[in-house]
Amino acid sequence: WVQPIPGMTEQVQGFTLYSDGSAESVNMATLQYTQWSLPEPETLILYGQSIGNGQTIEFCDTLAKALLSSDSLVLHRGELDLTYYRQE
């Protein structure tokens, strides 16, 4: 799942979710996803590491799933809507 990078619309960023529960970042060197889970049907949790300024911080990002279709995914984080499309 990817979205255009703000200010660099020809490039994309996002994540890949694998069936074994592992995850991988797409074009995000400082935000490395490692795992994902769906504890509830409308909740996606992404786990990973934030890398920067000489330190690595573990995180989990809880997102509300608003829309899922064969080619698009819309997630909510608070007031922020994140729209992704399926990368072929």
Side-chain angles (χ1 to χ4, degrees):
W1 297 103
V2 296
Q3 61 183 190
I5 296 174
M8 302 167 60
T9 55
E10 286 103 36
Q11 295 185 31
V12 295
Q13 64 184 9
F15 51 86
T16 302
L17 304 177
Y18 297 101
S19 61
D20 66 357
S22 64
E24 184 176 22
S25 298
V26 175
N27 293 335
M28 296 190 298
T30 61
L31 192 63
Q32 295 294 303
Y33 294 117
T34 57
Q35 297 177 296
W36 66 278
S37 68
L38 288 173
E40 299 172 10
E42 301 305 317
T43 303
L44 171 65
I45 301 178
L46 294 170
Y47 302 88
Q49 299 176 330
S50 178
I51 303 167
N53 295 329
Q55 62 181 346
T56 300
I57 300 169
E58 302 281 328
F59 72 87
C60 68
D61 197 2
T62 302
L63 304 156
K65 186 172 56 171
L67 171 75
L68 174 63
S69 69
S70 62
D71 63 352
S72 62
L73 172 64
V74 179
L75 301 170
H76 295 300
R77 182 188 307 127
E79 298 294 316
L80 181 63
D81 290 339
L82 303 165
T83 302
Y84 296 90
Y85 62 90
R86 187 178 299 275
Q87 184 176 25
E88 297 297 324

